[in-house]
Structures are given as structure tokens and as C-alpha cells.
Amino acid sequence: MASDLFGKGNEAFINEQYESAIKLYTQALEHEQNRDDIYSNRAQAYLKLERYKEAVEDAIDAINLNQDNVKAHHRKGTGLFHLEDYQSAKEAFRHGLKLDAEDSFNFKMWIRKCEAELDLKKSVESGGQGEIGVSETKTTVADSQPSEPKPVTPEPQIIIPEKPKLKHDWYQTATHVMVNIFYKNCKQENANIEIQDRLLKADLILPNGEPIELKFSPLAHPVNPSASSFKILKSKIEVKLKKMEGLQWKELEGEEELAPAHPASDPMQYPSSSHYTRNWDKLSKEAEKEEKEEKKEGDAALNDLFKQIYSDGTEETKRAMMKSFYESGGTVLSTNWNEIGAKQTEVKPPDGMEYKKWES
């Protein structure tokens, strides 16, 4: 019963039905409370809903049941990071990195992010204030002898304050680009964030009343301003940019693209108010055509086949695939629910190979 509910929970999660997934995982735990994988998967669903406290609690339960659960360490660290407990998050990511030699979960990146936040907490923000003063000079009394010249008093030395700077960093997910501007305890009225399709600009007022502008233009790729947002937190300003395309950004800023001498009147050229144009409709169609014509081989072709079977299959077929895959540690994928639903699926490694659980 627990495995069946767990499989349904995974299916709901894949379909981005996170609330339903949590309910199904909870029901599965009522039947079997010693499954670290169920706690770990429910933690991930909580993360998707930004319920970070519950995510951390589930991740800790999973780790208590299985210290080698790499995903649980990652999800614990992610939840703690969003709760702004950066030291504990760093320790969680360091434990995960010890188990994940290839760093497939980007533990090193998360550790650097935690260290950056901790450094920011330790630093004392001067607000960019400088000092303007006059250098001290000693007035020498002239000697009574007329042959010696009077000492020349040097001109006052003006110390020009350095221009204030604010640190920032950025990272990305499959759908968003996150930009962090490290301005501690910023007031709402002192921040004006402007987001356009290839522009991010922050007009800020520092604690000493001095204005400062951060401008990222042009952005490497277009974003959707209406689906983007920002939050002012205690330690930073967090800007969430929604990608227009599911591309992996190599850098935050790119190069400006100039418009042709006679812009086309095609309504699908986006955006019409920019100094550059791209025919997104044409590019989209070309990409779809290339994807359809591409002949995949090996694992890629096999994965596409499995996706097609899952997509076209009945509910029993989908349950059988999910249950057999998870119970066998990824060594069995069956579509026969009558066979798979009746018992626990055995681990069946390929010929010549031995299945072993990971040990630290």
C-alpha cells in the first residue's frame, strides 16, 4: 500500500501537482514510517511550494533514517538557505558533498553562496561614506635672518570619497534567473526596481541618503517582465526574472543586437519597443522542425521511447512503471501492473554487474 501511494505521489509531483503529492506521501508514511525516500520526496514538494520549514523537517527525518541520502542533505541545505540560516545550510551542503563525489547536485555552488551570505553578515556597511578633511600643517616661525625665505604653506588636501558600491551575484534554474543585490535592511521606499525584456535596473537610496544605480543591460537573453518579481529581504534584494526561453544562460549580460535599417512590420517580432528585433515565431518553428528531424540514438532514443510509453499509457501502466523503477533502484521498468502490483520489485542489475548501495 505504501509503495502504491508513493508511486502516485511521484506521479503527481511529475505533473507539478505538489499539494496532491504531499497528501499522497503523507498517506504512504501512515502505512510505512521508516522510508527515508518518502520523507525526502515530500521535502522536495514542500520546497516547490516554498514551505521551507516543513521541507527542512522532512529532510532531517530522512537523514535520521539514512545518513547516506544525498538528496535529503541537499534539500535540508536548500530549505535552511531560504530560511536565512546560512551556517547550518553550509554544513548540510558540506555533508552532501562528501557523499556526492561528482557534485552532481552543485553542492560546491551552494556552499559558495552560503559563504557569501555569511561574509555579508560579518561586514560592516559604511553606506559609502567618505571623509572630507584638511591635512594638518605646522606653521614654522620665520627666522629673523632676512636671507631665509618664509615657509610655504601647502594647499589643503581634499580627500575625495570613493563611489559607493553594492555587491551582487546571480544564479539560474530551468525557468528563472535569480539576481541578489546585497543591500542590508533596505527600506521599501528606497528601492525602485525596473524590469524590461532585456534590462534590469535598480535605483537605490543608501542609508546616508546617497543615490546609487545598478544596471544590467542588455541581459544575455529576453525575460518576461510581467511574470518577473522582486522581494526586499533583511540581507538583500532578491530579483526573480522569468526566462522567455528555456535556455541555459552563460552570463548575466550579453551584447546589444542592432535593428535592421528598415524594421519589418511582422507583428511576431518581439519586442516592438526595442532597438533590436527577433522573429520569435520563426525561430520557434525552426527549433521544432529541427527537433522532429533529429534522429536520436542510444540512451536518448531509449529515453524518448519510455516517455512516449508513459505518456500514452493507462493509469495501470503508469503505476507499474513508477513502482518498478523506484523499488528496483532503476534496474527494472515494467508496464505490467498485474505482475508488478502484486509484490515488491526485485533489483535486477545488468549481466556482469553487481548492485550495491552507496556507502560513505
Side-chain angles (χ1 to χ4, degrees):
M1 180 64 71
S3 296
D4 190 22
L5 290 166
F6 181 53
K8 290 180 179 179
N10 292 331
E11 185 177 342
F13 184 91
I14 291 172
N15 293 325
E16 300 183 2
Q17 298 170 355
Y18 304 123
E19 291 284 4
S20 298
I22 289 171
K23 291 179 181 179
L24 289 163
Y25 291 142
T26 303
Q27 292 173 15
L29 288 169
E30 290 173 358
H31 293 278
E32 194 170 348
Q33 297 180 356
N34 296 323
R35 292 274 300 270
D36 62 289
D37 52 348
I38 302 178
Y39 280 109
S40 179
N41 282 21
R42 192 171 69 173
Q44 181 67 359
Y46 279 131
L47 288 176
K48 289 291 186 180
L49 295 175
E50 299 183 1
R51 293 166 61 178
Y52 302 119
K53 185 175 182 295
E54 292 98 324
V56 171
E57 291 172 352
D58 269 3
I60 291 173
D61 286 338
I63 293 168
N64 288 338
L65 290 169
N66 180 9
Q67 291 287 329
D68 297 337
N69 191 322
V70 179
K71 293 179 180 179
H73 287 287
H74 189 277
R75 288 159 190 175
K76 176 184 175 183
T78 305
L80 289 168
F81 183 90
H82 285 93
L83 291 171
E84 300 186 17
D85 186 353
Y86 303 118
Q87 185 60 48
S88 300
K90 179 182 174 182
E91 292 303 316
F93 290 130
R94 287 178 63 183
H95 282 298
L97 183 59
K98 290 179 182 178
L99 301 172
D100 184 12
E102 296 182 358
D103 194 20
S104 56
F105 286 90
N106 293 322
F107 284 110
K108 291 178 181 177
M109 180 197 73
W110 279 102
I111 291 171
R112 288 195 296 270
K113 286 170 64 64
C114 291
E115 290 173 344
E117 295 286 357
L118 290 169
D119 289 342
L120 183 67
K121 278 190 172 183
K122 292 178 183 178
S123 65
V124 179
E125 290 193 355
S126 63
Q129 293 179 338
E131 295 180 358
I132 300 178
V134 180
S135 61
E136 294 184 0
T137 58
K138 291 183 179 180
T139 305
T140 306
V141 179
D143 194 272
S144 58
Q145 296 181 1
S147 58
E148 292 189 12
K150 293 181 179 181
V152 179
T153 303
E155 293 290 329
Q157 181 182 358
I158 300 176
I159 303 173
I160 302 174
E162 288 186 7
K163 208 168 185 180
K165 295 180 180 178
L166 289 177
K167 293 182 179 180
H168 74 276
D169 72 1
W170 71 281
Y171 63 98
Q172 62 183 308
T173 66
T175 57
H176 290 83
V177 171
M178 311 294 292
V179 181
N180 293 319
I181 301 171
F182 298 110
Y183 181 173
K184 194 174 181 181
N185 295 322
C186 178
K187 296 181 180 179
Q188 187 77 36
E189 61 269 20
N190 289 342
N192 180 34
I193 309 298
E194 180 183 353
I195 303 173
Q196 297 181 17
D197 58 295
R198 287 194 70 186
L199 167 72
L200 169 60
K201 188 171 75 165
D203 290 308
L204 308 171
I205 304 295
L206 296 174
N208 66 340
E210 187 168 356
I212 184 172
E213 177 189 88
L214 271 74
K215 186 176 181 180
F216 307 98
S217 175
L219 295 172
H221 299 281
V223 300
N224 185 347
S226 61
S228 302
S229 61
F230 72 93
K231 291 190 293 186
I232 298 179
L233 306 175
K234 290 182 180 180
S235 60
K236 63 185 177 181
I237 301 171
E238 182 181 87
V239 184
K240 190 175 184 180
L241 303 174
K242 178 70 170 68
K243 295 180 180 180
M244 287 291 295
E245 307 168 272
L247 300 175
Q248 189 76 5
W249 290 28
K250 294 182 179 179
E251 52 191 357
L252 183 58
E253 294 181 273
E255 296 182 358
E256 187 70 61
E257 298 180 46
L258 299 178
H262 301 286
S265 58
D266 186 350
M268 290 308 296
Q269 288 179 336
Y270 176 89
S272 59
S273 59
S274 303
H275 298 294
Y276 51 88
T277 57
R278 281 184 181 175
N279 192 321
W280 296 111
D281 186 52
K282 181 180 177 182
L283 289 174
S284 177
K285 289 180 179 178
E286 289 177 354
E288 289 178 4
K289 182 179 179 182
E290 289 178 3
E291 186 176 353
K292 289 179 180 179
E293 292 177 352
E294 180 184 5
K295 185 177 180 181
K296 296 182 179 179
E297 299 178 354
D299 290 344
L302 190 60
N303 286 335
D304 279 357
L305 176 61
F306 290 154
K307 289 179 182 177
Q308 187 64 41
I309 294 172
Y310 185 87
S311 176
D312 296 341
T314 63
E315 291 301 316
E316 286 191 351
T317 298
K318 292 178 180 180
R319 286 204 302 272
M321 293 178 73
M322 293 295 297
K323 184 174 183 293
S324 61
F325 185 82
Y326 277 97
E327 290 182 350
S328 69
T331 61
V332 175
L333 186 63
S334 172
T335 59
N336 188 343
W337 176 251
N338 291 332
E339 176 186 342
I340 296 300
K343 59 182 179 180
Q344 179 84 9
T345 308
E346 296 180 0
V347 176
K348 295 181 180 179
D351 293 340
M353 298 185 71
E354 182 181 356
Y355 180 83
K356 288 186 177 181
K357 289 188 176 180
W358 174 267
E359 297 182 357
S360 59

